[in-house]
Amino acid sequence: ALKEYDIGNADAWLIYKTWGEKALPTIKEHPYRLTSIRGISFAKADRVALSMNVDKDSRQRVLAGIRHVLSEAEDEGHTRLDWGVTRYRASKLLGIDPETVSETMISAVADDILAGYKIDEKAWVANKSMYDAEVRIAERIADIMVSAPPWEETPWTMPDGMDYSPSQRAAIQNAVTSKFMVMTGGPGTGKTTVTRSIIDILENQFNANVLLCAPTGRAAKRLSEATGRDASTIHMMLNYNPQQGFMYDAMNPLQCDAVVVDEASMLDTRLMRSVLNAIPNHAMVLLVGDADQLPSVGAGNLLHDLINSNRAPVARLTEIHRQAQDSRIITNSHAMNRGEMPVMSEDPDSDFSFHSMEKEGIPEHIVDLVTRVIPQTQGIDPNEVQVLTPMKGYECGTRALNVRLQEKINPPATEKPETHHGDAVYRLHDRVMQTRNDYKNNVFNGDMGKVIAVNPDEKLVTVQFDGHDRPVEIAGTQLDQLLHAYAVTVHKSQGSEYKAVVIPATTSHYVMLNRNLYYTAVTRGKKQVHMVGQPEAVRIAVSREGQARHTGLQLQLHGMLDPIQNASSTDDIPQAGVRAGRMNTP
């Protein structure tokens, strides 16, 4: 029956797997719901809708197109989009008059389906769920901060035996006396030391029940190792259920006196809302992270917005520890963060080295570093060397480098069973990464592991993920969620640390070259960082800040948004300048 609407066999299987016998009635009622199924694009859903004689200018189609444009903006990290840009992009996507788009946007805002608001007489629009999430975050922070911590009158002292810097001492003082605090600082400034000290005071001097969490499994494991206490992913702490969502929420809050969230730069808007919803009003919240790292993969710029809003206490750790001052990894990362070039030593024994060459020689040199030079000079196993690259594409992207590295580190052999999936070959002992959240097996996007068994006949791969007690079996189409991890993108490395890191520097990745990205990559290395390629690429990167994200949280925290109400025509909407569909910074 689905073939009648130009739906191919592969898509039909995805649809049936999702909706079963309700597939056809669901599509007939609202064909654009197809876009909720991973792998089915808006273009495919639109083709189905038009084949069902949905009118090109119908409200259903226009609203679906607007929502798709806003969702694409969320994929770029934005929580709001310029009204004029939205109108332009949607009209181009749908092939209809911009005025029709604007009229639909006005009616959707009036019906509370979309959120529209003005900032300095400039109009913006957002998906209602995203707008509501920012509103809720602002409300919850205000609710938490309105009262004093339950231990306000309890005398306390700094932990003995520690030589704290002035900014560290101030951070501890602020955390103990605040209900909500952000602590930020670069590598070598002692975030871990201060976090551990704050937890010690809360637990040992105030008898507080403290929960520790982080956005990813690797980050949670690092937090646990650093503090000597149990730490979990946020999803585990909130007891996520795929059918029902987070079990801990506003109606069923966590039983705790304080919550510490590490690697808070990775928090996106929707996840932050869920965290704050589950925290009781009496509890204290501490967010710890490096605001200069890449922002979250999901929409929003939480840590940056909270720090710049001046609505909550912020502790900035600024002094680099004496022992850290001898590390070129740390001194170079801070230099790059200031927009300066790193010290480019070519000494492979140095903890930070730069191997200068033209782009044609970069891939081969990376493979040689990973498989021969670093193991021979540093005694670090090739499987403990992580290649971090800005992009998936080009010769120095993850796709091409993973093929080269797999061939050298884990070549085919008769005693190593393997199975093919698309262009990928999964082989016994391969390093792999999960790319989607699998709540059934408690494995999350970004988790890395090792292939411990392969059944070619069943196209089944068994993976032992780092920090997990039990292996996970992945078969058939589920192999879509698995990638090789000899080389990963810098974005996927957030919250992780590696013994040695190798980073290509090439102008082929020009569109991604920025300060935040290389700063994040360099700070993933614990013992060694090797940059390979063109100095010009590094010069470009350190001179450029990352793309600004358009978010509403700061304005929500200050109550500065002016909702668009009772607009009867596009004449009532302030029109921002639009050029080729690009957003103008407010």
Side-chain angles (χ1 to χ4, degrees):
L2 294 177
K3 289 183 179 179
E4 180 184 346
Y5 302 110
D6 196 23
I7 297 174
N9 290 335
D11 289 337
W13 168 245
L14 285 174
I15 295 166
Y16 184 79
K17 189 178 176 183
T18 304
W19 292 325
E21 298 298 329
K22 296 180 180 178
L24 195 56
T26 300
I27 294 170
K28 286 182 176 180
E29 180 184 2
H30 201 317
Y32 292 98
R33 282 194 62 193
L34 285 166
T35 58
S36 66
I37 299 175
R38 188 182 182 96
I40 298 184
S41 65
F42 177 84
K44 287 181 180 178
D46 194 40
R47 190 165 63 245
V48 171
L50 293 174
S51 73
M52 297 172 65
N53 297 318
V54 171
D55 190 79
K56 282 189 70 174
D57 290 342
S58 70
R59 189 173 191 268
Q60 180 191 92
R61 180 173 186 262
V62 178
L63 185 56
I66 294 166
R67 282 175 155 168
H68 176 70
V69 166
L70 294 174
S71 295
E72 284 190 321
E74 290 177 16
D75 290 341
E76 297 169 6
H78 310 292
T79 65
R80 58 184 167 100
L81 193 58
D82 176 296
W83 186 284
V85 171
T86 308
R87 181 186 61 182
Y88 172 88
R89 291 184 180 178
S91 66
K92 187 175 181 181
L93 172 74
L94 299 169
I96 61 175
D97 186 84
E99 188 69 16
T100 302
V101 175
S102 218
E103 289 170 357
T104 302
M105 288 164 65
I106 289 170
S107 68
V109 169
D111 293 340
D112 212 27
I113 296 171
L114 299 177
Y117 52 86
K118 292 180 286 186
I119 305 168
D120 297 330
E121 292 307 309
K122 181 176 176 181
W124 298 82
V125 66
N127 273 317
K128 190 64 167 54
S129 62
M130 184 62 73
Y131 174 85
D132 289 344
E134 291 185 325
V135 170
R136 183 61 176 162
I137 290 169
E139 289 174 347
R140 288 300 298 133
I141 290 174
D143 291 342
I144 291 168
M145 290 181 63
V146 75
S147 61
W151 49 78
E152 183 183 33
E153 302 300 326
T154 306
W156 64 278
T157 59
M158 288 280 182
D160 294 331
M162 297 297 296
D163 182 19
Y164 297 110
S165 69
S167 64
Q168 289 176 332
R169 189 171 291 274
I172 294 170
Q173 176 75 34
N174 280 337
V176 170
T177 56
S178 301
K179 285 292 299 302
F180 186 100
M181 192 185 88
V182 176
M183 181 169 68
T184 187
T189 58
K191 292 192 300 296
T192 299
T193 298
V194 174
T195 301
R196 189 166 52 237
S197 297
I198 292 168
I199 297 168
D200 285 343
I201 293 169
L202 296 178
E203 288 185 341
N204 300 329
Q205 299 188 43
F206 301 149
N207 197 32
N209 178 19
V210 184
L211 298 180
L212 279 62
C213 65
T216 67
R218 292 176 72 89
K221 183 180 179 182
R222 285 179 53 208
L223 178 61
S224 179
E225 292 170 347
T227 60
R229 294 165 173 84
D230 289 338
S232 69
T233 63
I234 290 171
H235 283 78
M236 290 180 66
M237 180 181 74
L238 301 183
N239 192 12
Y240 184 84
N241 181 297
Q243 282 72 45
Q244 298 172 279
F246 293 107
M247 296 294 96
Y248 287 105
D249 55 18
M251 301 302 293
N252 181 35
L254 295 162
Q255 301 299 306
C256 64
D257 301 306
V259 174
V260 177
V261 184
D262 198 18
E263 296 291 349
S265 63
M266 300 175 69
L267 284 170
D268 63 42
T269 300
R270 288 193 169 95
L271 186 57
M272 181 63 165
R273 173 200 55 195
S274 297
V275 171
L276 294 179
N277 270 344
I279 294 175
N281 285 346
H282 78 270
M284 170 262 202
V285 180
L286 173 63
L287 304 181
V288 182
D290 186 345
D292 294 317
Q293 288 187 23
L294 287 168
S296 58
V297 174
N301 203 357
L302 265 297
L303 200 61
H304 178 272
D305 286 350
L306 287 170
I307 290 170
N308 290 328
S309 72
N310 295 316
R311 301 298 284 179
V314 176
R316 300 175 187 270
L317 304 183
T318 54
E319 300 94 346
I320 300 178
H321 286 243
R322 285 190 298 271
Q323 60 268 34
Q325 291 174 1
D326 295 330
S327 166
R328 281 194 175 176
I329 295 175
I330 290 175
T331 56
N332 275 334
S333 65
H334 282 275
M336 295 170 76
N337 196 39
R338 294 191 298 267
E340 303 169 7
M341 285 290 285
V343 176
M344 291 187 170
S345 165
E346 294 190 8
D347 180 5
D349 290 329
S350 170
D351 63 349
F352 186 105
S353 64
F354 192 95
H355 309 254
S356 180
M357 63 191 63
E358 291 305 313
K359 63 177 68 175
E360 292 79 11
I362 298 174
E364 185 176 343
H365 194 76
I366 286 175
V367 173
D368 189 50
L369 276 171
V370 173
T371 61
R372 185 184 65 83
V373 176
I374 296 175
Q376 287 182 5
T377 61
Q378 303 299 319
I380 299 175
D381 187 276
N383 282 297
E384 295 180 300
V385 181
Q386 186 62 58
V387 177
L388 301 179
T389 179
M391 299 176 70
K392 296 177 183 177
Y394 300 98
E395 281 301 301
C396 289
T398 57
R399 296 190 190 102
L401 288 176
N402 269 316
V403 171
R404 286 174 175 263
L405 289 164
Q406 182 193 34
E407 184 181 328
K408 278 284 188 180
I409 296 173
N410 191 31
T414 54
E415 68 274 14
K416 292 187 211 170
E418 60 183 45
T419 187
H420 292 247
H421 182 71
D423 294 332
V425 179
Y426 294 102
R427 187 175 296 134
L428 183 67
H429 307 318
D430 268 341
R431 282 169 61 191
V432 291
M433 172 182 279
Q434 178 81 4
T435 61
R436 299 180 204 162
N437 291 337
D438 179 354
Y439 301 104
K440 178 182 176 182
N441 290 305
N442 198 29
V443 179
F444 299 98
N445 185 1
D447 283 355
M448 296 175 68
K450 184 178 181 180
V451 175
I452 61 171
V454 176
N455 186 327
D457 295 333
E458 298 183 17
K459 294 194 63 133
L460 185 147
V461 174
T462 305
V463 180
Q464 180 63 60
F465 287 99
D466 299 343
H468 290 253
D469 296 331
R470 290 179 294 179
V472 176
E473 292 186 345
I474 304 171
T477 57
Q478 288 184 318
L479 288 171
D480 287 340
Q481 67 195 29
L482 212 58
L483 291 177
H484 289 98
Y486 301 102
V488 301
T489 62
V490 179
H491 282 85
K492 290 289 189 185
S493 75
Q494 287 177 269
S496 301
E497 280 187 346
Y498 311 96
K499 283 187 179 180
V501 164
V502 178
I503 308 164
T506 169
T507 53
S508 296
H509 292 160
Y510 181 85
V511 68
M512 292 294 292
L513 297 181
N514 65 70
R515 194 179 306 162
N516 302 64
L517 185 135
Y518 270 157
Y519 172 78
T520 301
V522 169
T523 55
R524 300 307 90 202
K526 291 174 66 176
K527 293 185 176 181
Q528 278 209 319
V529 171
H530 296 262
M531 296 188 78
V532 183
Q534 302 167 283
E536 178 60 22
V538 183
R539 289 191 190 94
I540 293 169
V542 299
S543 69
R544 296 163 68 186
E545 295 186 5
Q547 180 190 22
R549 291 192 170 191
H550 298 283
T551 64
L553 181 58
Q554 282 194 65
L555 298 157
Q556 295 286 8
L557 289 164
H558 286 277
M560 291 173 59
L561 294 183
D562 181 14
I564 293 171
Q565 296 174 327
N566 303 320
S568 58
S569 72
T570 54
D571 293 337
D572 298 326
I573 304 296
Q575 295 300 313
V578 180
R579 191 174 179 184
R582 294 182 179 274
M583 287 179 287
N584 296 321
T585 305

